Amino acid sequence: MADEREPTVIVDDAHITYRVQQSGSASSPLAGFKRIVTGAKPTILREVHAIKGVSFVAYKGEAIGLIGTNGSGKSTLLRAIAGLLPVEKGAIFASGQPSLLGVNAALMNDLPGERNVVLGCLAMGMSPAEVKPMVKEIIDFSGINERGDFSSLPMRTYSSGMAARLRFAISAAKKHDVLLIDEALATGDAKFRKRSEQRVRDLRAEAGTVFLVSHSEQSIRDTCERSVWLESGLIRADGPTDEVMKEYEAFVKK
Amino acid sequence: MSQTAVADSDTGLPLRELARRHGLGVAGRLPTLPEYTGKLWAYRHFIAYYANAKVTSSLGKTRLGSLWQVLTPLINAAVYYVIFGKILDTSRGIPNFVAYLCTGVFIFGFTQSVVQSGIQAISGNLGLIRALHFPRAALPLALTMVEVRNMFASIIVLMAIVLGFGEPLTLEWLLVVPIFLLQSIFNAGLAMAAARLGSKVADFKQLVPFIMRFWLYGSAVLYPVTKFQSALQDHPIALKIVEANPLLVFIDLMRHALLEEVPLASTPWLLWAEAIGWTLFVGIGGYIYFWRGEKGYGRG
């Protein structure tokens, strides 16, 4: 019955628009003045309608894969569910605070890895007492110290893989009700990937609902029983992963 | 099958109703002001650590490191000493002009640097904002903390300069503490307001240098306050407006506390009342203004 399936995320006809301020190529002071006088809409302010009315319900215990070609709005949708991007129209409802597990969490490049770990944990809302015992664990998990003491060096000295691993390790250190994963599994070398996949499985076991954005069909098939296929901001298909994947593959091959 | 029904197929309820029934909150909803304040308080450690990290990382690549926190105000004062104290040798009717000047420059510089960094608090941290949840007011507040720390060093330097130019150490120096506190709260409000403005209209950043320059000349930093009184003799209302300028008030109060003989814009009691009024108005007003925009900061 309906009461057994408890919804955790409800997306109700959501629209998301990015406003992009461009430095116009043919813009001169005179053109700018003319624009103000005539009241014309600035040509350099462009709107990108990234999500054009998406609706679905996610239930407790589900793992949902989001698939689609580049620029189809997958990451944008995740950010909106996390409440990090405002919706233009419609609404997104969620139980608790969904957390985005991304590799994009910007940290401070001039600071050593250790201090970035503390900063990241505090930014996720942990208390200093909670953070203290976590630091070593996070650094060990990220494996940045495998080649000497890198955790005390500034992050700008890290290779891109090392930095990405550290970011993933930081954001995976917290438990979540609704977990949103954006390409995080594609980070690092094979050894680290194995470890991070295990961590995601653990997090999944504790989280109510998991969303996964990935271009790797294998990782979607492995983790998600349900998939949503987004194409230019609209849902093309929503259903069991096998069926949606089949349609998606047929579409991509065209 | 390629489409699932938009409404929940099991119950046929509209989605909005379904969300309400299961008690789901709207993602990215604007929290109430008390909720927001509570959240911000919970993030106080983040604010402090972020401010600390910002100082370290900004000085991290320099050789002298944190010595710059003291060197910057010293060099600043030296410039004014060379120009006004040695070359021009102006006193303009003020007994201790160099000390008078330095006080004005330092107090004004505090607010100026807070506004300058506040304007970029949101637009310069979009990566952080789009990746993590935290009350966004933490960013302008942390940047204010950075400047408060720098100002702390500056005030020590300022005191040394004032003493060095022959002012006596009196009990009135204790007033520096409440003045510093009031100005810090005033600046925090200003930083939050600037952060929201800067996130909405990027053009605003281009105007800030001119606004600050105008404010500098309106705050009697480089010349005595009495100059306004003689220049605006016939315009009492304009004079009132100029003398209500919050920075002029803070500078006057600080000069009154540190120096023996200074011309003031008005009586100390009136100045204190004005300072407290401005602090409450800008501090609370800036906070509310920033909070009202909380939902939109990820966009851009």
Side-chain angles (χ1 to χ4, degrees):
Chain A
M1 262 317 287
D3 291 67
E4 293 166 28
R5 298 178 74 203
E6 195 188 316
T8 49
V9 174
I10 298 177
V11 180
D12 182 9
D13 191 31
H15 290 257
I16 299 161
T17 311
Y18 284 102
R19 293 210 178 75
V20 186
Q21 192 97 249
Q22 265 182 340
S23 40
S25 49
S27 183
S28 67
L30 195 65
F33 182 69
K34 200 170 140 198
R35 210 180 60 229
I36 292 167
V37 172
T38 56
K41 249 203 154 154
T43 45
I44 50 167
L45 184 71
R46 278 176 49 189
E47 291 195 354
V48 179
H49 205 160
I51 298 286
K52 302 164 183 164
V54 164
S55 302
F56 64 86
V57 181
Y59 296 93
K60 200 169 181 152
E62 270 187 321
I64 301 175
L66 282 177
I67 51 175
T69 46
N70 280 336
S72 54
K74 307 179 295 287
S75 302
T76 305
L77 185 60
L78 274 200
R79 285 194 174 142
I81 294 172
L84 298 167
L85 266 179
V87 287
E88 189 80 16
K89 214 182 113 203
I92 295 175
F93 306 90
S95 76
Q97 177 62 75
S99 323
L100 181 64
L101 189 67
V103 288
N104 297 320
L107 299 166
M108 282 194 199
N109 275 331
D110 286 330
L111 282 192
E114 285 167 333
R115 296 192 62 181
N116 268 306
V117 170
V118 179
L119 190 66
C121 288
L122 289 174
M124 289 192 297
M126 296 187 192
S127 71
E130 284 173 295
V131 174
K132 227 174 170 188
M134 303 285 289
V135 175
K136 195 180 166 332
E137 201 181 306
I138 290 171
I139 286 176
D140 286 348
F141 178 77
S142 72
I144 54 169
N145 272 356
E146 278 164 10
R147 278 185 199 81
D149 180 21
F150 268 92
S151 63
S152 54
L153 283 179
M155 262 187 87
R156 70 185 129 88
T157 62
Y158 292 12
S159 74
S160 56
M162 278 169 72
R165 272 153 56 177
L166 185 62
R167 292 197 199 102
F168 176 80
I170 293 171
S171 50
K174 208 183 165 226
K175 296 180 176 53
H176 314 271
D177 294 335
V178 176
L179 186 62
L180 313 163
I181 305 170
D182 193 353
E183 298 275 10
L185 300 181
T187 306
D189 47 31
K191 214 165 101 196
F192 182 73
R193 196 145 56 224
K194 216 164 175 182
R195 245 185 322 186
S196 61
E197 273 166 13
Q198 182 54 45
R199 174 61 68 94
V200 169
R201 268 193 290 277
D202 294 348
L203 285 169
R204 264 199 61 185
E206 290 160 14
T209 309
V210 176
F211 284 86
L212 175 66
V213 165
S214 178
H215 283 289
S216 151
E217 283 168 27
Q218 200 49 49
S219 67
I220 298 251
R221 276 184 204 275
D222 286 351
T223 29
C224 311
E225 54 271 17
R226 178 180 166 193
S227 286
V228 173
W229 172 18
L230 276 179
E231 207 53 64
S232 31
L234 289 166
I235 294 189
R236 281 286 281 262
D238 175 2
T241 299
D242 282 343
E243 294 173 27
V244 177
M245 269 300 185
K246 224 177 278 168
E247 278 187 60
Y248 177 63
E249 274 159 22
F251 173 82
V252 175
K253 281 204 186 96
K254 254 192 283 182
Chain B
M1 62 158 256
S2 64
Q3 296 286 324
T4 341
V6 166
D8 187 38
S9 48
D10 294 345
T11 51
L13 280 175
L15 293 177
R16 202 164 280 277
E17 181 59 25
L18 184 73
R20 200 188 55 78
R21 181 168 296 186
H22 287 273
L24 302 191
V26 177
R29 165 186 74 90
L30 181 69
T32 64
L33 198 56
E35 265 174 21
Y36 191 66
T37 310
K39 254 167 106 186
L40 202 56
W41 175 246
Y43 271 85
R44 62 193 183 280
H45 301 290
F46 171 66
I47 296 174
Y49 201 87
Y50 184 87
N52 212 334
K54 201 89 194 167
V55 174
T56 319
S57 79
S58 69
L59 297 173
K61 278 190 203 160
T62 58
R63 286 196 183 200
L64 297 177
S66 51
L67 202 58
W68 277 110
Q69 278 179 297
V70 184
L71 279 181
T72 312
L74 264 181
I75 297 173
N76 198 0
V79 169
Y80 286 98
Y81 172 71
V82 170
I83 301 284
F84 290 100
K86 283 285 165 205
I87 299 176
L88 295 180
D89 199 20
T90 37
S91 68
R92 306 187 187 187
I94 295 170
N96 197 343
F97 189 68
V98 173
Y100 182 89
L101 187 71
C102 283
T103 312
V105 168
F106 280 33
I107 297 295
F108 186 83
F110 182 26
T111 297
Q112 185 176 31
S113 43
V114 166
V115 171
Q116 272 163 356
S117 58
I119 202 95
Q120 300 198 68
I122 298 297
S123 49
N125 284 306
L126 276 180
L128 201 61
I129 286 173
R130 288 189 181 154
L132 292 170
H133 279 283
F134 55 88
R136 308 310 185 201
L139 292 173
L141 286 180
L143 293 176
T144 309
M145 288 269 294
V146 172
E147 297 307 330
V148 167
R149 278 181 55 150
N150 290 340
M151 188 58 188
F152 193 75
S154 297
I155 284 190
I156 309 255
V157 171
L158 178 64
M159 287 176 164
I161 292 171
V162 171
L163 278 179
F165 277 88
E167 293 289 331
L169 187 65
T170 61
L171 264 184
E172 280 198 333
W173 281 44
L174 286 177
L175 289 174
V176 168
V177 177
I179 299 169
F180 186 37
L181 210 66
L182 284 179
Q183 203 195 350
S184 299
I185 298 170
F186 173 85
N187 284 352
L190 215 53
M192 286 188 279
R196 183 172 175 192
L197 277 175
S199 77
K200 278 204 304 196
V201 191
D203 308 47
F204 193 65
K205 198 184 136 202
Q206 306 296 326
L207 287 176
V208 164
F210 305 110
I211 296 171
M212 292 317 289
R213 193 71 54 80
F214 193 68
W215 206 351
L216 173 80
Y217 294 129
S219 305
V221 174
L222 306 173
Y223 37 80
V225 273
T226 44
K227 216 164 181 176
F228 287 127
Q229 279 159 5
S230 49
L232 293 171
Q233 257 170 352
D234 310 324
H235 309 279
I237 296 171
L239 183 66
K240 276 271 171 309
I241 294 172
V242 168
E243 287 185 346
N245 169 5
L247 274 182
L248 185 126
V249 171
F250 284 124
I251 291 172
D252 251 11
L253 278 176
M254 196 57 107
R255 282 172 180 161
H256 181 62
L258 290 179
L259 311 178
E260 282 291 276
E261 290 170 54
V262 270
L264 291 180
S266 39
T267 61
W269 287 114
L270 183 63
L271 286 174
W272 275 106
E274 282 177 329
I276 293 170
W278 273 117
T279 302
L280 288 177
F281 174 68
V282 173
I284 297 173
Y287 180 55
I288 291 177
Y289 177 68
F290 186 89
W291 159 73
R292 300 264 310 160
E294 178 79 3
K295 259 179 87 175
Y297 292 137
R299 185 182 278 154

